[in-house]
Amino acid sequence: MAFHKIDLHEWDRAEEFFHFTEAAPCSFSFCTDLEMTALYRRAKEGGIKFFPLFLHCLSAEVNARREFRMHENGAGELGWFDTVNPCYTVFHEEDHRFSDVWTEFDGDFSVFYARYLRDTEKYGGPKRKPAKPYQDENLFNVSCIPWARFTGFSLDLPKSTRFFSPIFTIGKFYERDGNLYLPFSAQVHHAVCDGWHVAALVNALQDRMRAVALSAK
């Protein structure tokens, strides 16, 4: 994993970056439904957990796009990581609290899945933030609200005007016309990411979910 500093004087997005960090600092949320029928069936038939299968699909698409791997280091320098890892929550039913756990990404799902199982078993119990100590800052966040379906979702980040990592949220899946759908929200900083980039990620993620399901046949 390496951090690559951006020369703002040479960057082709410098104008947008300064506008959305100085003149009109803002993030935005993009919500949609992802069709998950075949991917869910693959998980059930293969005896694996659905969430890490979906998490791997999402992580692969995030890592395929520099806009979603942006970060500002301790010196206030903007750059991007070679690879980012998903940081997600493990819910505790007994007291309704949760643990923050992250898993190192690998393009091979079997490798990632084994790491996910080890991480959740080892770190899923402690109710602290983070439950698994951070090794670096190359993380992006994924939260779950599996108890309710949502059609819109937004995070209020008044002190995070320079928080450039994406935050993804998924809700309770539901059935419509014989298919299963997953509510999905992406919260991004407008300085590094536009609606076009989010739409490209969402469309590619949907395609990957279907392709992964078909590849198991």
Side-chain angles (χ1 to χ4, degrees), residues 37-53:
T37 312
L39 192 69
Y40 185 77
R41 185 181 301 119
R42 180 197 165 179
K44 290 299 181 181
E45 293 175 352
I48 59 178
K49 297 177 182 293
F50 172 78
F51 177 69
L53 181 58

Side-chain angles (χ1 to χ4, degrees), residues 75-191:
E77 299 168 326
L78 182 71
W80 52 275
F81 289 108
D82 282 333
T83 305
V84 290
N85 302 311
C87 182
Y88 49 91
T89 56
V90 177
F91 185 71
H92 303 291
E93 187 65 47
E94 66 275 11
D95 61 3
H96 302 165
R97 297 176 65 193
F98 60 89
S99 305
D100 280 347
V101 182
W102 62 272
T103 294
E104 183 182 359
F105 176 70
D106 191 279
D108 186 325
F109 173 68
S110 61
V111 174
F112 178 79
Y113 189 60
R115 290 173 178 172
Y116 171 89
L117 294 177
R118 287 196 299 268
D119 286 335
T120 52
E121 180 179 1
K122 183 175 181 179
Y123 300 106
K127 303 177 182 66
R128 62 175 183 266
K129 295 174 71 65
K132 180 181 178 181
Y134 299 148
Q135 292 182 353
D136 214 316
E137 297 176 299
N138 62 323
L139 301 173
F140 68 95
N141 293 293
V142 184
S143 296
C144 298
I145 309 176
W147 311 279
R149 169 189 171 189
F150 61 72
T151 56
F153 187 86
S154 181
L155 293 167
D156 184 15
L157 302 172
K159 296 183 179 180
S160 300
T161 55
R162 301 186 76 87
F163 184 83
F164 301 118
S165 299
I167 302 174
F168 302 100
T169 307
I170 60 175
K172 181 180 181 180
F173 71 85
Y174 67 96
E175 182 177 353
R176 185 179 69 215
D177 299 328
N179 292 317
L180 300 177
Y181 293 89
L182 185 69
F184 177 79
S185 168
Q187 182 106 6
V188 299
H189 201 300
H190 209 345

